[in-house]
Amino acid sequence: QKEVEQDPGPLSVPEGAIVSLNCTYSNSAFQYFMWYRQYSRKGPELLMYTYSSGNKEDGRFTAQVDKSSKYISLFIRDSQPSDSATYLCAMISGNTGKLIFGQGTTLQVKP
Amino acid sequence: DTGVSQDPRHKITKRGQNVTFRCDPISEHNRLYWYRQTLGQGPEFLTYFQNEAQLEKSRLLSDRFSAERPKGSFSTLEIQRTEQGDSAMYLCASSGDGLSYEQYFGPGTRLTVT
């Protein structure tokens, strides 16, 4: 079993929809949680970073962490075609800061 | 541009050849990471430097792989006797000191071994 599970999709939604992306994890030692966006053949781009249970909002993006359920989510409001990308959840393991990634979910927002 | 840079962006090599990649992190960042990403998968951790010290290596990093960060600035990743299974995107990331573990990635080097 992988430490971080993420449904690879693909997920296709119409423009303007609310998108929900999710990851589950098995290691209760994970304390820091990140979401990255990756366009095709590009490096991952940091979207959100959080370390506590609850919600964190940044513009159209909301990151949600539930440590008791070992479950994190990323919500995208008013989705745009430019949001079409692969979304990767990642968690910090140990005190070196190395990231453990999910497989990534491919999102397509149709105009 | 003050982001993480990597060179080359693409490398095609024949099996058995050696290749070397370079990463220039964000200038004030003392933590540097290498990851490898294959198609349809998330990046996998390879190794970590704090300044010039290599503090962690993954089991994925076989003895054909070596990484250096000689002066605590740029880093190189060398793969000796490349195999077709080494074909992947090699990503470099950096982060600052302290409690912030936010990592910023470079554009990656795409390696194809023929």
Side-chain angles (χ1 to χ4, degrees):
Chain A
Q1 183 186 1
K2 292 184 178 180
E3 287 188 280
V4 181
E5 297 280 356
Q6 185 175 9
D7 186 340
L11 182 62
S12 182
V13 301
E15 183 175 355
I18 296 174
V19 176
S20 172
L21 304 165
N22 311 296
C23 287
T24 58
Y25 62 96
S26 56
N27 189 343
S28 58
F30 290 150
Q31 294 295 319
Y32 298 87
F33 307 92
M34 301 178 184
W35 285 96
Y36 285 85
R37 177 174 63 194
Q38 187 174 29
Y39 293 111
S40 181
R41 298 182 176 270
K42 304 289 186 183
E45 171 194 2
L46 181 62
L47 282 177
M48 301 285 287
Y49 167 80
T50 184
Y51 55 86
S52 59
S53 283
N55 294 350
K56 181 178 180 180
E57 191 172 316
D58 184 1
R60 296 186 295 112
F61 298 92
T62 298
Q64 186 176 81
V65 174
D66 182 348
K67 290 186 178 181
S68 62
S69 300
K70 299 188 180 68
Y71 188 90
I72 69 171
S73 299
L74 178 71
F75 299 96
I76 307 173
R77 291 183 298 281
D78 187 25
S79 56
Q80 302 296 310
S82 59
D83 294 328
S84 298
T86 296
Y87 290 80
L88 297 154
C89 64
M91 303 174 193
I92 297 256
S93 175
N95 57 9
T96 61
K98 73 179 182 185
L99 295 172
I100 307 298
F101 282 88
Q103 185 177 353
T105 299
T106 300
L107 170 67
Q108 184 180 25
V109 180
K110 295 183 175 179
Chain B
D1 184 8
T2 57
V4 179
S5 62
Q6 291 187 246
D7 184 68
R9 296 290 305 277
H10 305 276
K11 180 71 177 179
I12 300 174
T13 191
K14 292 184 177 179
R15 188 177 57 186
Q17 297 296 305
N18 299 344
V19 294
T20 300
F21 310 141
R22 176 180 171 124
C23 170
D24 286 89
I26 294 171
S27 59
E28 63 268 26
H29 285 181
N30 62 356
R31 295 178 177 147
L32 187 147
Y33 305 82
W34 286 97
Y35 296 84
R36 180 171 68 188
Q37 186 177 26
T38 54
L39 197 63
Q41 301 297 317
E44 294 178 294
F45 170 78
L46 291 178
T47 192
Y48 160 67
F49 288 87
Q50 177 143 355
N51 298 311
E52 67 276 7
Q54 187 174 21
L55 297 184
E56 188 171 352
K57 292 193 294 186
S58 164
R59 290 169 299 163
L60 292 175
L61 213 66
S62 76
D63 56 6
R64 295 186 298 106
F65 287 70
S66 63
E68 294 183 340
R69 195 182 182 194
K71 296 183 179 179
S73 56
F74 72 92
S75 176
T76 58
L77 177 67
E78 180 184 16
I79 310 174
Q80 296 182 328
R81 306 181 303 281
T82 53
E83 301 173 356
Q84 287 189 320
D86 297 331
S87 295
M89 173 82 92
Y90 289 84
L91 293 161
C92 176
S94 70
S95 72
D97 204 354
L99 296 178
S100 172
Y101 289 105
E102 298 172 52
Q103 291 180 33
Y104 297 90
F105 282 80
T109 294
R110 183 169 296 279
L111 173 66
T112 302
V113 181
T114 62

